[in-house]
Amino acid sequence: MHTLPVRFNLSKEKIWKKVRIAEDILKNCTLCPHECKVDRTSGKTGICKVGEKPYVNSWGPHFGEERPLVGRFGSGTIFFSQCNLRCLFCQNWRISHLGEGDLITVERLAQIMMEVQGMGCHNINLVTPTHQMPMIIHAIAIAADMGLDIPIVYNCGGYESIEALKILDGVVDIYMPDFKYSDPEMSLKYSKAKDYPEKAMAAIREMHRQVGDLIIDKRGIGVQGLLVRHLVLPDGVAGTGEVVRFIAEEISKDTCINIMDQYHPCYKALEHPPLDRRITDREYAGAIKMALDERLAAHASG
């Protein structure tokens, strides 16, 4: 049974080498598939609108996450501002689009991680971390020296760079990506990323290669592995059938997947039918049936 965070398999030298490699990417940024290639260390920004400093909105225990993350004392979420995706229905749009939050130092981010651990949280849950990965891994390296010893959860949108994910190998314990769409036309229309399905599939393969299926300890707490989120959208926009088929056939039938029913119109969704309405009970039941048909039943939850 896995009990210690996977990063304890890395020497201090290797962790700091990863920090240097990650920070070097900021000079010609390719941290996500947009590959803006701007020098974020010079004050320039790309699609994510973030430079070289951590940009954080809030942090603390969260009890609305998936059950294996929450446990008794909550998941220690840190919400990062801005995003590398432009989803027009984003439910956290004030943070991801308007950029509500504050610029801080990596040292302060490390302290926040220790504060969250001190609150008794079962993990450090990094929400929307993709575009701030170098700052995050730097803070993790500092916090590890300060005694950080709870799992790191990489709670991302699924639009990831394989190069960046490989840097995180041995640092992240639990990957929790969204798999938003299986149709590139839908991902272009609603998130401005036509290659999203292709990049998300490649990312999920790499994540699973690193950490495998989700391992849950005797407390019911996830300690390592992959947990995929899929938000059901109106009129089949998300392409749920292809999403669950990919997971079952190319990842693992033991993949922990959360088929989510909480979609409601936010941000600019009211201007873009069919996203201007909630999903129906029939649409959600149909999505669950698709997961059951792929024998993902035991791992599908709303």
Side-chain angles (χ1 to χ4, degrees), residues 83-91 93 96-97 157 180-181 187 190-192 196 266-268:
C83 184
N84 68 317
L85 285 169
R86 300 288 97 187
C87 302
L88 56 80
F89 56 88
C90 181
Q91 296 178 10
W93 61 274
S96 62
H97 288 271
K180 296 178 183 292
Y181 316 93
S187 62
Y190 298 120
S191 295
K192 297 185 179 180
Y196 178 91
C266 284
Y267 193 41
K268 298 181 179 180

Side-chain angles (χ1 to χ4, degrees), residues 80 126-134 136 153-157 160:
F80 292 89
L126 307 166
V127 184
T128 321
T130 304
H131 59 304
Q132 300 193 49
M133 183 273 281
I136 289 169
V153 180
Y154 206 73
N155 182 347
C156 63
E160 315 302 315

Side-chain angles (χ1 to χ4, degrees), residues 25 29-37 40 47-48 83-85 130-131 158-164 195 199:
I25 295 175
C29 191
T30 55
L31 278 175
C32 84
H34 283 302
E35 296 191 340
C36 296
K37 295 185 177 180
R40 291 170 59 181
I47 285 174
C48 70
C83 184
N84 68 317
L85 285 169
T130 304
H131 59 304
Y159 195 53
E160 315 302 315
S161 156
I162 299 302
E163 175 190 16
D195 59 350
K199 299 302 183 181

Side-chain angles (χ1 to χ4, degrees), residues 166-195:
K166 287 184 176 179
I167 295 171
L168 292 168
D169 191 359
V171 177
V172 168
D173 302 279
I174 297 173
Y175 282 104
M176 188 164 65
D178 292 331
F179 194 165
K180 296 178 183 292
Y181 316 93
S182 61
D183 183 341
E185 295 304 321
M186 296 297 102
S187 62
L188 174 62
K189 184 175 182 179
Y190 298 120
S191 295
K192 297 185 179 180
K194 187 173 183 178
D195 59 350

